Amino acid sequence: RPEVRAALEDCIAGPHEEHLHFPPVATRHRAVGVERYRVDLCLGEIVYHLGDGESVTLLGDPAGLASLRRAEVEAGQIGYHEFCRLVLLAGCAGRQVSMLGRRVVYSGRTSETHVELFPPTP
């Protein structure tokens, strides 16, 4: 579906261009039916799984896909590009995001994991 792909492509480009941050991205994901997605920072690939059983795979710059939820980024205290640099230096290889479970599981290159819950919605 072209409209879903276009919305997801905008969700990738927005944070990279510094004009779209995590809460609005999550809202857009839910609006187009994303239940969960997997980001592989090494391959530069995101696979979105929709509620109707379809999936959409998008490719991009691995550094540009590192838009992980982080308080400093959400608050505008550090920019997206600096955050991407720090995430990659820290050894993060990817993440799995559950819109239904409202959580992100980050994984490192040595299979360590960290779970973060979405911030509460107003």
Side-chain angles (χ1 to χ4, degrees):
R1 298 183 311 216
E3 69 280 0
V4 172
R5 179 174 285 279
L8 295 174
E9 287 172 346
D10 187 52
C11 286
I12 293 172
H16 190 65
E17 296 166 3
E18 308 283 351
H19 72 270
L20 186 61
H21 301 285
F22 180 78
V25 168
T27 299
R28 286 184 181 189
H29 284 162
R30 284 190 291 273
V32 297
V34 173
E35 285 190 352
R36 59 190 166 86
Y37 62 97
R38 177 187 50 80
V39 178
D40 186 319
L41 296 173
C42 299
L43 293 175
E45 176 182 83
I46 302 178
V47 179
Y48 295 94
H49 300 277
L50 308 177
D52 62 6
E54 289 188 39
S55 65
V56 175
T57 301
L58 299 177
L59 301 175
D61 171 17
L65 298 179
S67 62
L68 310 176
R69 184 193 150 313
R70 173 80 179 232
E72 292 89 346
V73 174
E74 289 178 11
Q77 295 171 350
I78 65 171
Y80 174 75
H81 295 289
E82 175 65 6
F83 179 67
C84 289
R85 188 183 73 76
L86 295 172
V87 165
L88 293 171
L89 285 174
C92 186
R95 70 176 191 246
Q96 293 185 50
V97 180
S98 171
M99 303 309 288
L100 297 174
R102 300 187 50 79
R103 70 189 69 229
V104 181
V105 179
Y106 303 101
S107 58
R109 292 187 300 253
T110 59
S111 295
E112 71 274 15
T113 60
H114 169 75
V115 178
E116 207 170 79
L117 300 178
F118 285 17
T121 53

